[in-house]
Amino acid sequence: MPALHVPQPEQAAALSDLCLRSKAVWGYDAAFLEACRPALTLTAEDWKDSDLQIAVDGDRILGLAQVRFDGRVAELDKLFIDPDARSAGVGRRLFGWCVEAALNRGATVMAIDADPGAADFYRRMGAVDDGVIASTVIPGRFLPRLKLELG
């Protein structure tokens, strides 16, 4: 099982690359992925205003999770798994960390704006549909919004 720990800011470029490679598994074209790049790029601010965790096997980064907080609501901002590590329990492990992080911060619900391809994973983790939300990246595109009651 991979180890979990807080990433270092100098890993931002590698983590951003992992996010894009992970997003690509859903069959998006290069133009779509390029449009997503800013939203999937980690910056120094991410270490200041959110909780981050990575799953690693030795020196290899297998996945990334990022949770933001607004009062009693935790927002799962990123959960990306290296394409070669999919279906190995890494996503489940990182999602469990997200729930723990949210509970530790006093959140009572976790909001998840999911890629349509990933929504079923979150449903298997216990999240339920809670409408849709407009994409901040692609005008006219809507994403499934899910929520997980905590506690």
Side-chain angles (χ1 to χ4, degrees), residues 36-76:
C36 292
R37 183 180 298 275
L40 300 181
T41 298
L42 280 91
T43 68
E45 290 302 308
D46 290 303
W47 273 264
K48 294 176 185 173
D49 66 10
S50 63
D51 288 357
L52 294 159
Q53 195 78 180
I54 56 174
V56 297
D57 182 11
D59 291 337
R60 186 168 161 237
I61 300 171
L62 303 178
L64 162 75
Q66 180 180 19
V67 182
R68 297 183 185 280
F69 302 92
D70 184 10
R72 306 293 248 163
V73 177
E75 178 193 343
L76 195 154

Short mmCIF file of all heavy atoms in Angstrom, two decimals, residues 36-76:
data_model
loop_
_atom_site.label_atom_id
_atom_site.label_comp_id
_atom_site.label_asym_id
_atom_site.label_seq_id
_atom_site.Cartn_x
_atom_site.Cartn_y
_atom_site.Cartn_z
N CYS A 36 -7.98 23.09 -19.46
CA CYS A 36 -8.04 22.69 -18.04
C CYS A 36 -6.73 22.97 -17.29
O CYS A 36 -6.72 22.99 -16.06
CB CYS A 36 -8.34 21.19 -17.94
SG CYS A 36 -9.99 20.73 -18.48
N ARG A 37 -5.65 23.18 -18.03
CA ARG A 37 -4.32 23.30 -17.40
C ARG A 37 -4.29 24.31 -16.24
O ARG A 37 -3.79 23.96 -15.15
CB ARG A 37 -3.26 23.64 -18.44
CG ARG A 37 -1.86 23.72 -17.86
CD ARG A 37 -0.81 24.06 -18.91
NE ARG A 37 -0.71 23.06 -19.94
CZ ARG A 37 0.03 21.95 -19.85
NH1 ARG A 37 0.72 21.72 -18.75
NH2 ARG A 37 0.06 21.09 -20.84
N PRO A 38 -4.80 25.54 -16.40
CA PRO A 38 -4.71 26.48 -15.26
C PRO A 38 -5.41 25.95 -13.99
O PRO A 38 -4.88 26.11 -12.90
CB PRO A 38 -5.39 27.74 -15.79
CG PRO A 38 -5.25 27.66 -17.28
CD PRO A 38 -5.35 26.19 -17.60
N ALA A 39 -6.56 25.32 -14.15
CA ALA A 39 -7.30 24.81 -12.99
C ALA A 39 -6.60 23.62 -12.35
O ALA A 39 -6.81 23.32 -11.17
CB ALA A 39 -8.72 24.43 -13.39
N LEU A 40 -5.77 22.92 -13.13
CA LEU A 40 -5.10 21.72 -12.62
C LEU A 40 -3.65 21.99 -12.21
O LEU A 40 -2.94 21.06 -11.83
CB LEU A 40 -5.15 20.62 -13.68
CG LEU A 40 -6.55 20.17 -14.09
CD1 LEU A 40 -6.46 19.05 -15.12
CD2 LEU A 40 -7.36 19.74 -12.90
N THR A 41 -3.22 23.23 -12.30
CA THR A 41 -1.85 23.59 -11.95
C THR A 41 -1.79 24.03 -10.49
O THR A 41 -2.52 24.94 -10.07
CB THR A 41 -1.35 24.73 -12.86
OG1 THR A 41 -1.35 24.24 -14.21
CG2 THR A 41 0.04 25.17 -12.48
N LEU A 42 -0.94 23.38 -9.73
CA LEU A 42 -0.75 23.74 -8.33
C LEU A 42 0.23 24.91 -8.23
O LEU A 42 1.20 24.98 -8.98
CB LEU A 42 -0.23 22.55 -7.53
CG LEU A 42 -1.33 21.58 -7.14
CD1 LEU A 42 -1.50 20.51 -8.18
CD2 LEU A 42 -1.08 20.98 -5.79
N THR A 43 -0.07 25.81 -7.31
CA THR A 43 0.79 26.97 -7.06
C THR A 43 1.14 27.02 -5.58
O THR A 43 0.56 26.28 -4.77
CB THR A 43 0.07 28.28 -7.45
OG1 THR A 43 -1.02 28.48 -6.54
CG2 THR A 43 -0.44 28.23 -8.89
N ALA A 44 2.02 27.92 -5.23
CA ALA A 44 2.42 28.07 -3.82
C ALA A 44 1.20 28.36 -2.95
O ALA A 44 1.16 27.95 -1.78
CB ALA A 44 3.46 29.18 -3.69
N GLU A 45 0.21 29.04 -3.49
CA GLU A 45 -1.00 29.36 -2.73
C GLU A 45 -1.74 28.10 -2.26
O GLU A 45 -2.37 28.11 -1.21
CB GLU A 45 -1.96 30.22 -3.56
CG GLU A 45 -1.46 31.62 -3.80
CD GLU A 45 -1.18 32.37 -2.50
OE1 GLU A 45 -2.07 32.42 -1.63
OE2 GLU A 45 -0.06 32.91 -2.37
N ASP A 46 -1.67 27.02 -3.04
CA ASP A 46 -2.36 25.78 -2.66
C ASP A 46 -1.85 25.24 -1.33
O ASP A 46 -2.61 24.64 -0.58
CB ASP A 46 -2.21 24.73 -3.75
CG ASP A 46 -3.01 25.08 -4.99
OD1 ASP A 46 -4.24 25.27 -4.88
OD2 ASP A 46 -2.42 25.19 -6.08
N TRP A 47 -0.58 25.46 -1.02
CA TRP A 47 -0.03 24.99 0.26
C TRP A 47 -0.49 25.88 1.40
O TRP A 47 -0.47 25.46 2.54
CB TRP A 47 1.50 24.94 0.18
CG TRP A 47 1.98 23.63 -0.37
CD1 TRP A 47 2.39 22.55 0.35
CD2 TRP A 47 2.08 23.25 -1.75
NE1 TRP A 47 2.74 21.52 -0.50
CE2 TRP A 47 2.57 21.93 -1.79
CE3 TRP A 47 1.81 23.89 -2.95
CZ2 TRP A 47 2.79 21.25 -2.98
CZ3 TRP A 47 2.02 23.21 -4.14
CH2 TRP A 47 2.51 21.90 -4.15
N LYS A 48 -0.92 27.10 1.09
CA LYS A 48 -1.35 28.05 2.13
C LYS A 48 -2.83 27.94 2.44
O LYS A 48 -3.24 28.16 3.57
CB LYS A 48 -1.04 29.48 1.70
CG LYS A 48 0.45 29.76 1.58
CD LYS A 48 0.66 31.17 1.07
CE LYS A 48 2.14 31.42 0.82
NZ LYS A 48 2.36 32.71 0.18
N ASP A 49 -3.66 27.63 1.43
CA ASP A 49 -5.11 27.73 1.63
C ASP A 49 -5.87 26.41 1.49
O ASP A 49 -7.09 26.41 1.34
CB ASP A 49 -5.71 28.79 0.71
CG ASP A 49 -5.61 28.44 -0.77
OD1 ASP A 49 -5.26 27.29 -1.11
OD2 ASP A 49 -5.90 29.32 -1.60
N SER A 50 -5.15 25.29 1.55
CA SER A 50 -5.83 23.99 1.47
C SER A 50 -4.96 22.93 2.12
O SER A 50 -3.80 23.17 2.42
CB SER A 50 -6.12 23.63 0.00
OG SER A 50 -4.92 23.49 -0.73
N ASP A 51 -5.55 21.76 2.32
CA ASP A 51 -4.80 20.60 2.79
C ASP A 51 -4.48 19.73 1.58
O ASP A 51 -5.37 19.47 0.75
CB ASP A 51 -5.62 19.79 3.80
CG ASP A 51 -5.76 20.50 5.14
OD1 ASP A 51 -5.18 21.59 5.32
OD2 ASP A 51 -6.46 19.96 6.01
N LEU A 52 -3.25 19.30 1.48
CA LEU A 52 -2.78 18.48 0.36
C LEU A 52 -2.19 17.19 0.88
O LEU A 52 -1.60 17.16 1.97
CB LEU A 52 -1.69 19.23 -0.43
CG LEU A 52 -2.12 20.49 -1.16
CD1 LEU A 52 -0.92 21.37 -1.44
CD2 LEU A 52 -2.84 20.13 -2.44
N GLN A 53 -2.33 16.14 0.09
CA GLN A 53 -1.76 14.85 0.44
C GLN A 53 -1.40 14.13 -0.85
O GLN A 53 -2.12 14.23 -1.84
CB GLN A 53 -2.77 14.02 1.24
CG GLN A 53 -2.19 12.84 1.94
CD GLN A 53 -1.44 13.21 3.23
OE1 GLN A 53 -0.93 12.33 3.88
NE2 GLN A 53 -1.36 14.48 3.61
N ILE A 54 -0.28 13.40 -0.82
CA ILE A 54 0.07 12.57 -1.97
C ILE A 54 0.24 11.12 -1.51
O ILE A 54 0.56 10.86 -0.35
CB ILE A 54 1.34 13.06 -2.70
CG1 ILE A 54 2.55 13.15 -1.77
CG2 ILE A 54 1.07 14.37 -3.42
CD1 ILE A 54 3.86 13.49 -2.47
N ALA A 55 0.02 10.23 -2.46
CA ALA A 55 0.29 8.81 -2.25
C ALA A 55 1.55 8.50 -3.05
O ALA A 55 1.64 8.87 -4.23
CB ALA A 55 -0.88 7.96 -2.74
N VAL A 56 2.50 7.86 -2.41
CA VAL A 56 3.77 7.55 -3.07
C VAL A 56 4.14 6.09 -2.86
O VAL A 56 3.78 5.46 -1.87
CB VAL A 56 4.91 8.45 -2.56
CG1 VAL A 56 4.65 9.91 -2.89
CG2 VAL A 56 5.15 8.29 -1.08
N ASP A 57 4.87 5.58 -3.84
CA ASP A 57 5.49 4.27 -3.76
C ASP A 57 6.97 4.52 -4.04
O ASP A 57 7.35 4.73 -5.20
CB ASP A 57 4.88 3.31 -4.78
CG ASP A 57 5.47 1.91 -4.68
OD1 ASP A 57 6.19 1.62 -3.70
OD2 ASP A 57 5.22 1.11 -5.61
N GLY A 58 7.77 4.59 -2.99
CA GLY A 58 9.17 4.99 -3.15
C GLY A 58 9.23 6.44 -3.60
O GLY A 58 8.65 7.32 -2.96
N ASP A 59 9.87 6.68 -4.73
CA ASP A 59 9.96 8.04 -5.28
C ASP A 59 8.83 8.36 -6.25
O ASP A 59 8.74 9.48 -6.75
CB ASP A 59 11.29 8.23 -6.01
CG ASP A 59 12.48 8.25 -5.05
OD1 ASP A 59 12.27 8.56 -3.86
OD2 ASP A 59 13.60 7.95 -5.50
N ARG A 60 7.99 7.39 -6.54
CA ARG A 60 6.94 7.56 -7.55
C ARG A 60 5.66 8.10 -6.90
O ARG A 60 5.12 7.51 -5.97
CB ARG A 60 6.67 6.21 -8.22
CG ARG A 60 5.71 6.31 -9.37
CD ARG A 60 5.69 5.01 -10.18
NE ARG A 60 4.47 5.00 -10.95
CZ ARG A 60 3.56 4.07 -10.89
NH1 ARG A 60 3.72 3.01 -10.13
NH2 ARG A 60 2.48 4.16 -11.62
N ILE A 61 5.17 9.22 -7.44
CA ILE A 61 3.91 9.80 -6.96
C ILE A 61 2.76 9.10 -7.67
O ILE A 61 2.68 9.11 -8.90
CB ILE A 61 3.86 11.32 -7.22
CG1 ILE A 61 5.02 12.01 -6.50
CG2 ILE A 61 2.52 11.88 -6.75
CD1 ILE A 61 5.18 13.48 -6.88
N LEU A 62 1.88 8.48 -6.89
CA LEU A 62 0.76 7.72 -7.45
C LEU A 62 -0.54 8.51 -7.47
O LEU A 62 -1.44 8.19 -8.24
CB LEU A 62 0.55 6.44 -6.64
CG LEU A 62 1.73 5.49 -6.53
CD1 LEU A 62 1.37 4.30 -5.67
CD2 LEU A 62 2.20 5.04 -7.91
N GLY A 63 -0.66 9.52 -6.62
CA GLY A 63 -1.91 10.27 -6.57
C GLY A 63 -1.79 11.50 -5.71
O GLY A 63 -0.85 11.65 -4.93
N LEU A 64 -2.76 12.38 -5.89
CA LEU A 64 -2.81 13.66 -5.19
C LEU A 64 -4.24 13.93 -4.74
O LEU A 64 -5.20 13.67 -5.49
CB LEU A 64 -2.39 14.79 -6.14
CG LEU A 64 -2.78 16.22 -5.73
CD1 LEU A 64 -1.91 16.71 -4.59
CD2 LEU A 64 -2.69 17.15 -6.92
N ALA A 65 -4.39 14.45 -3.54
CA ALA A 65 -5.69 14.91 -3.04
C ALA A 65 -5.52 16.31 -2.47
O ALA A 65 -4.51 16.62 -1.85
CB ALA A 65 -6.22 13.97 -1.97
N GLN A 66 -6.55 17.14 -2.71
CA GLN A 66 -6.56 18.50 -2.18
C GLN A 66 -7.95 18.82 -1.66
O GLN A 66 -8.95 18.60 -2.37
CB GLN A 66 -6.18 19.50 -3.28
CG GLN A 66 -6.17 20.94 -2.82
CD GLN A 66 -5.77 21.89 -3.93
OE1 GLN A 66 -5.84 21.57 -5.11
NE2 GLN A 66 -5.35 23.09 -3.55
N VAL A 67 -8.02 19.33 -0.44
CA VAL A 67 -9.30 19.70 0.17
C VAL A 67 -9.21 21.15 0.64
O VAL A 67 -8.22 21.55 1.26
CB VAL A 67 -9.63 18.77 1.37
CG1 VAL A 67 -10.98 19.13 1.97
CG2 VAL A 67 -9.60 17.31 0.96
N ARG A 68 -10.25 21.91 0.33
CA ARG A 68 -10.39 23.30 0.78
C ARG A 68 -11.53 23.36 1.79
O ARG A 68 -12.40 22.50 1.78
CB ARG A 68 -10.68 24.23 -0.39
CG ARG A 68 -9.56 24.28 -1.40
CD ARG A 68 -9.86 25.28 -2.52
NE ARG A 68 -8.85 25.24 -3.53
CZ ARG A 68 -7.67 25.83 -3.45
NH1 ARG A 68 -7.36 26.52 -2.36
NH2 ARG A 68 -6.79 25.74 -4.42
N PHE A 69 -11.54 24.40 2.60
CA PHE A 69 -12.54 24.49 3.66
C PHE A 69 -13.20 25.85 3.67
O PHE A 69 -12.56 26.87 3.46
CB PHE A 69 -11.88 24.22 5.01
CG PHE A 69 -11.23 22.86 5.06
CD1 PHE A 69 -9.90 22.71 4.72
CD2 PHE A 69 -11.96 21.75 5.38
CE1 PHE A 69 -9.30 21.46 4.73
CE2 PHE A 69 -11.38 20.49 5.39
CZ PHE A 69 -10.05 20.34 5.06
N ASP A 70 -14.51 25.83 3.93
CA ASP A 70 -15.29 27.05 4.10
C ASP A 70 -16.29 26.76 5.22
O ASP A 70 -17.37 26.21 4.97
CB ASP A 70 -16.00 27.42 2.79
CG ASP A 70 -16.77 28.74 2.90
OD1 ASP A 70 -16.60 29.46 3.91
OD2 ASP A 70 -17.55 29.03 1.99
N GLY A 71 -15.89 27.08 6.43
CA GLY A 71 -16.74 26.79 7.58
C GLY A 71 -16.93 25.29 7.74
O GLY A 71 -15.96 24.54 7.81
N ARG A 72 -18.18 24.85 7.76
CA ARG A 72 -18.50 23.43 7.97
C ARG A 72 -18.50 22.63 6.67
O ARG A 72 -18.83 21.45 6.66
CB ARG A 72 -19.87 23.30 8.64
CG ARG A 72 -20.01 24.09 9.91
CD ARG A 72 -19.15 23.59 11.02
NE ARG A 72 -19.97 23.02 12.06
CZ ARG A 72 -19.49 22.23 12.99
NH1 ARG A 72 -18.24 21.88 12.99
NH2 ARG A 72 -20.26 21.76 13.92
N VAL A 73 -18.16 23.30 5.55
CA VAL A 73 -18.15 22.62 4.25
C VAL A 73 -16.71 22.41 3.79
O VAL A 73 -15.91 23.35 3.73
CB VAL A 73 -18.92 23.43 3.19
CG1 VAL A 73 -18.84 22.74 1.83
CG2 VAL A 73 -20.36 23.62 3.61
N ALA A 74 -16.39 21.16 3.49
CA ALA A 74 -15.12 20.82 2.87
C ALA A 74 -15.38 20.66 1.38
O ALA A 74 -16.41 20.11 0.99
CB ALA A 74 -14.57 19.52 3.45
N GLU A 75 -14.48 21.15 0.57
CA GLU A 75 -14.60 20.98 -0.87
C GLU A 75 -13.45 20.12 -1.36
O GLU A 75 -12.27 20.47 -1.17
CB GLU A 75 -14.55 22.34 -1.58
CG GLU A 75 -14.62 22.20 -3.09
CD GLU A 75 -14.25 23.49 -3.81
OE1 GLU A 75 -14.26 24.56 -3.18
OE2 GLU A 75 -13.96 23.41 -5.00
N LEU A 76 -13.79 18.98 -1.95
CA LEU A 76 -12.75 18.15 -2.55
C LEU A 76 -12.35 18.85 -3.85
O LEU A 76 -13.10 18.84 -4.81
CB LEU A 76 -13.26 16.73 -2.81
CG LEU A 76 -12.16 15.73 -3.09
CD1 LEU A 76 -12.60 14.33 -2.71
CD2 LEU A 76 -11.71 15.76 -4.51
#
